[in-house]
Amino acid sequence: MARSRNSQRPGISTTGRRAGTFCLVLILALAAQATRVQVFQAHRYDDNPANQRQAIQRYDQPRGNILVGATPVTGSAPTGGRFDYKRTYTAGAQYAAVTGYSSQIYGNTQLEGTQDDLLSGTDKRLAGWALWDEIARKQNPGGDVHTTIDQAAQQAAMRGLGSQKGAVAAIEPSTGRILALASTPSYDPGTFAGSSNADQDAWNRLRADTDQPMLNRALRQTYPPGSTFKVVTAAAALAGGVVSDINAPTSAPYPYVMPGTTTELVNDTSACDRPNLSLDTAMTLSCNSVLGYLGVSTGLEPMVTMAQNFGFNDSRLDIPVRAARSNFDTTMNASQLALSSIGQFDTAATPLVMAMVAAGVANQGTVMYPQLVDKLTKSDGTTVQLMEPQPYKRAMSPAVAGQVQQLMTDVVQNGTGRNARIPGATVGGKTGTAQHGVDNSGTPYAWFISWAKPAGSSDVPPVAVAVVIADSDATDVTGGGLAAPIAKSVMQAVLNGRG
């Protein structure tokens, strides 16, 4: 009998089938593991401190630049070492408060930190074909950060501060563009940009320096604002109807005994030791008794609201670098409110926020969000992002702002701010000398806030400035004596550039 065709085919043994199945399982397991590692866990391995590939890749090309105007204030230099390039800085100390640092060992700060993805070339907005670049892990050329800084204003700020401990913040009131951001003593971030022993030694010396050159005093340090805060108090009193006519007598008594205490709020000059002074006279002479009384008369809630309209108590003030929180207490008794209304007690401010105060007054009562970056571009100049001016808050009406402007103008023309006068310009300002330390034993902080515009102009002033001197060897430690001349030079630099 013939055998069937199927019976002639050799059979597959059970052992063979098992081996094939086992190999298939192994292949699938290996594929699953490869997918897990290369796709789902890729970022975990990328970010592992033991993985040096990212660091090597980061420094295998020049870093994008930070520019002031059309001029780069940063660069990149070949190292000949493990990392191909390191960051360099032109006039590093002059712009350190703006750029921050980029170090192969110690990371990035300031704009070098907030814009690191763009500068290093890892920002997805730089990619020509984002999906393919992601798959291929291609690193694009670093983009550029164009700042709002005015070179002449920055130079004037640093020159004016000199060897003193202090800071300057200058703002364009109508847009919020930061024109100068200076902090002294400063440092050269290029001295520790690499990874050599010399870089580490430079870092250690800076960190050990008791003068804290790496502290950004314009953004990250708060000080009692002293009498410069009286601008906020005057605005609150006018906005609340406590004062309607800046030249009319107020009901402020003399002496003024703070509520709930037997303590008089004393003045720095006997010219203030009279009752019923007008708000204009009190601001021109910087009378503590009058402004403390008006702050209490205005009330805690309106005072808090006005302070917060200018940026106080904002813990998320990003320019895009985050500024320290300026403080005006929201819970106080009447005597504490009196002291806070003249910039003492727990009131504390960064120079940035006090520049916002001056800028808000100058801009008819509208405070603009401060911004340090003008635009972000690719390496070929193509715009990635253009920053638009953004209103922060409406602090007061234009009518009230006009009254405060007049108060500040009279301070410069007739009062404690005479050192800020500029020929051919209208200047408004307010001095401040804030006591601090145990029993006020510390060297006072000297403040000046101001704005300026060409004489006769009806436009919004192009510049507002805040200056603080935290420590100086000068004998005249006052806002008018130390800080006002620096503000004047910064304002002149801006006005001359707009002329």
Side-chain angles (χ1 to χ4, degrees):
M1 180 183 294
R3 299 176 63 181
S4 69
R5 181 176 300 177
N6 287 342
S7 65
Q8 295 176 352
R9 296 178 59 187
I12 300 174
S13 69
T14 302
T15 303
R17 284 197 299 271
R18 288 176 178 174
T21 302
F22 181 69
C23 290
L24 178 61
V25 169
L26 284 179
I27 291 171
L28 292 175
L30 289 171
Q33 172 68 1
T35 300
R36 184 177 70 87
V37 170
Q38 296 182 21
V39 178
F40 297 105
Q41 294 186 344
H43 289 294
R44 193 183 81 177
Y45 288 107
D46 283 344
D47 297 334
N48 191 307
N51 182 7
Q52 293 294 300
R53 185 187 62 79
Q54 276 195 327
I56 293 171
Q57 183 181 19
R58 170 182 290 271
Y59 300 112
D60 71 358
Q61 66 178 17
R63 189 171 173 84
N65 281 319
I66 298 173
L67 292 87
V68 171
T71 305
V73 296
T74 60
S76 296
T79 65
R82 182 182 185 188
F83 299 128
D84 292 342
Y85 291 91
K86 72 172 184 176
R87 188 51 127 185
T88 61
Y89 297 85
T90 59
Q94 180 168 302
Y95 294 106
V98 176
T99 64
Y101 60 76
S102 179
S103 169
Q104 292 175 351
I105 302 176
Y106 305 109
N108 310 291
T109 61
Q110 300 290 116
L111 289 182
E112 292 277 29
T114 63
Q115 307 302 320
D116 180 57
D117 286 350
L118 182 101
L119 292 165
S120 64
T122 60
D123 192 319
K124 294 180 180 179
R125 294 173 296 177
L126 300 175
W129 186 18
L131 178 61
W132 172 250
D133 287 347
E134 181 71 18
I135 295 172
R137 301 198 176 211
K138 175 186 176 183
Q139 185 162 341
N140 297 285
D144 294 332
V145 177
H146 299 253
T147 72
T148 59
I149 295 295
D150 181 293
Q151 183 180 34
Q154 183 76 9
Q155 289 174 340
M158 291 297 291
R159 185 168 55 247
L161 289 169
S163 61
Q164 303 170 111
K165 284 184 183 178
V168 173
I171 293 175
E172 184 177 66
S174 63
T175 63
R177 291 163 54 89
I178 296 173
L179 304 177
L181 198 68
S183 175
T184 55
S186 189
Y187 68 100
D188 182 358
T191 60
F192 56 89
S195 56
S196 68
N197 290 336
D199 291 284
Q200 296 177 55
D201 290 343
W203 169 268
N204 291 332
R205 285 193 299 272
L206 287 168
R207 298 288 290 179
D209 192 331
T210 56
D211 286 337
Q212 296 181 282
M214 297 176 71
L215 172 64
N216 189 332
R217 292 173 167 85
L219 292 181
R220 297 299 306 165
Q221 183 69 27
T222 61
Y223 306 90
S227 292
T228 58
F229 191 83
K230 291 172 181 174
V231 172
V232 179
T233 302
L238 288 163
V242 175
V243 176
S244 57
D245 183 348
I246 63 174
N247 295 303
T250 65
S251 56
Y254 181 80
Y256 174 54
V257 179
M258 290 184 287
T261 75
T262 58
T263 304
E264 294 180 12
L265 191 55
V266 299
N267 297 305
D268 294 328
T269 172
S270 60
C272 291
D273 296 346
R274 294 172 285 158
N276 306 321
L277 290 175
S278 70
L279 179 55
D280 186 72
T281 299
M283 287 287 284
T284 301
L285 299 174
S286 199
C287 301
N288 294 334
S289 58
V290 176
L291 274 298
Y293 168 81
L294 290 178
V296 173
S297 300
T298 300
L300 176 61
E301 186 174 345
M303 283 293 295
V304 169
T305 297
M306 185 59 72
Q308 292 182 166
N309 285 344
F310 286 114
F312 282 83
N313 298 338
D314 189 343
S315 60
R316 300 184 64 84
L317 190 58
D318 299 333
I319 64 168
V321 180
R322 178 155 296 179
R325 178 183 181 275
S326 296
N327 182 70
F328 188 81
D329 283 357
T330 57
T331 304
M332 291 182 277
N333 61 37
S335 64
Q336 293 167 339
L337 179 57
L339 290 171
S340 296
S341 298
I342 61 170
Q344 295 285 352
F345 188 54
D346 286 338
T347 305
T350 60
L352 174 69
V353 160
M354 292 313 297
M356 291 170 66
V357 171
V361 172
N363 194 35
Q364 311 304 327
T366 297
V367 183
M368 300 300 289
Y369 208 101
Q371 60 183 53
L372 186 56
V373 175
D374 182 38
K375 63 180 178 178
L376 307 176
T377 65
K378 295 183 179 181
S379 59
D380 63 3
T382 304
T383 298
V384 171
Q385 184 177 358
L386 181 65
M387 310 306 177
E388 298 290 345
Q390 297 291 331
Y392 181 74
K393 289 182 182 177
R394 164 68 77 173
M396 68 199 92
S397 68
V400 169
Q403 291 176 297
V404 181
Q405 288 174 16
Q406 186 60 56
L407 294 174
M408 296 178 74
T409 301
D410 290 344
V411 168
V412 173
Q413 288 301 310
N414 308 312
T416 56
R418 290 184 178 91
N419 283 338
R421 292 174 178 172
I422 299 174
T426 300
V427 180
K430 184 67 191 79
T431 56
T433 305
Q435 304 294 329
H436 72 104
V438 178
D439 296 327
N440 293 331
S441 59
T443 302
Y445 298 130
W447 279 93
F448 192 71
I449 65 173
S450 58
W451 47 263
K453 63 181 179 178
S457 171
S458 59
D459 296 335
V460 173
V463 58
V465 182
V467 178
V468 64
I469 302 299
D471 193 13
S472 174
D473 295 332
T475 55
D476 179 18
V477 184
T478 62
L482 283 181
I486 300 173
K488 174 183 177 179
S489 66
V490 174
M491 292 186 294
Q492 278 183 311
V494 175
L495 292 178
N496 290 343
R498 307 291 173 94

